[in-house]
Amino acid sequence: MKDLRAHLALLVAIGLPTKVVAQLTCTAAGSPDICSIAGQIIFTATGLLSLQTSSATTVLRSPTPADYNAGFNTTVGPTLTVRANQSWTVHIRSAAPLWTATNTSGNVAARPTKPAADLRWSTASNGVFTPTSTTDVTVVNGLASDGTIVTLHFRTVYNWSLDTPGNYSLALMLTLTSP
């Protein structure tokens, strides 16, 4: 009895729709007894993006008299890790134009008009600090990556006559996009 063997050639193509080739039949008669059917396997790889932060909340350093005299202090923020199989951009913006201020002193109200721009950010501790706004601003961008890591640094602006005692918070939005 003759031994029949079928061979399947595999072709993997990225970016094409998934499909299965119609069933084919192969028979062999005579010598040599080889039977081959060409086929292919195809799948679609979709664009994937992942943004991970080391912390959802950053507690800024409380200002000292020296910070008020200098006009600012600096705090290390979260570390961002980006994984993507395509080019990407991370944006930052404030969710509101003003900080939320909560009174902590019975005789002095917390400043309800502290602008978001009083929080500045950078990707380097000694870098240029950009004022936060309600418009997306590019933090960093790159190509496909298995883990690009960026640390944010914050510089908070203080003014003796404006920044009264209180608890202040500002919601930030980090957005990862691809073209």
Side-chain angles (χ1 to χ4, degrees), residues 32-121:
D33 53 354
I34 296 174
C35 182
S36 298
I37 297 174
Q40 61 182 337
I41 297 173
I42 301 171
F43 74 95
T44 300
T46 59
L48 298 172
L49 301 170
S50 170
L51 174 61
Q52 180 180 0
T53 65
S54 60
S55 175
T57 302
T58 298
V59 177
L60 301 174
R61 288 189 315 115
S62 294
T64 65
D67 296 332
Y68 273 93
N69 289 338
F72 67 90
N73 72 12
T74 305
T75 303
V76 176
T79 299
L80 312 178
T81 303
V82 177
R83 290 181 174 85
N85 67 353
Q86 59 191 312
S87 59
W88 51 269
T89 302
V90 174
H91 302 275
I92 190 171
R93 69 177 169 85
S94 170
L98 301 173
W99 293 67
T100 299
T102 305
N103 296 334
T104 59
S105 175
N107 58 350
V108 179
R111 179 183 175 193
T113 60
K114 186 167 182 63
D118 277 2
L119 180 70
R120 299 179 181 184
W121 62 269

Side-chain angles (χ1 to χ4, degrees), residues 80 88-93 121-123 128 130-131 133 135-142 150 152 173-177:
L80 312 178
W88 51 269
T89 302
V90 174
H91 302 275
I92 190 171
R93 69 177 169 85
W121 62 269
S122 179
T123 56
V128 174
T130 303
S133 73
T135 303
D136 278 338
V137 176
T138 299
V139 173
V140 64
N141 55 32
V150 176
L152 290 177
M173 300 296 297
L174 294 168
T175 307
L176 175 60
T177 63

Side-chain angles (χ1 to χ4, degrees), residues 140-155:
V140 64
N141 55 32
L143 301 175
S145 170
D146 187 27
T148 298
I149 298 172
V150 176
T151 300
L152 290 177
H153 300 267
F154 296 115
R155 179 173 285 173

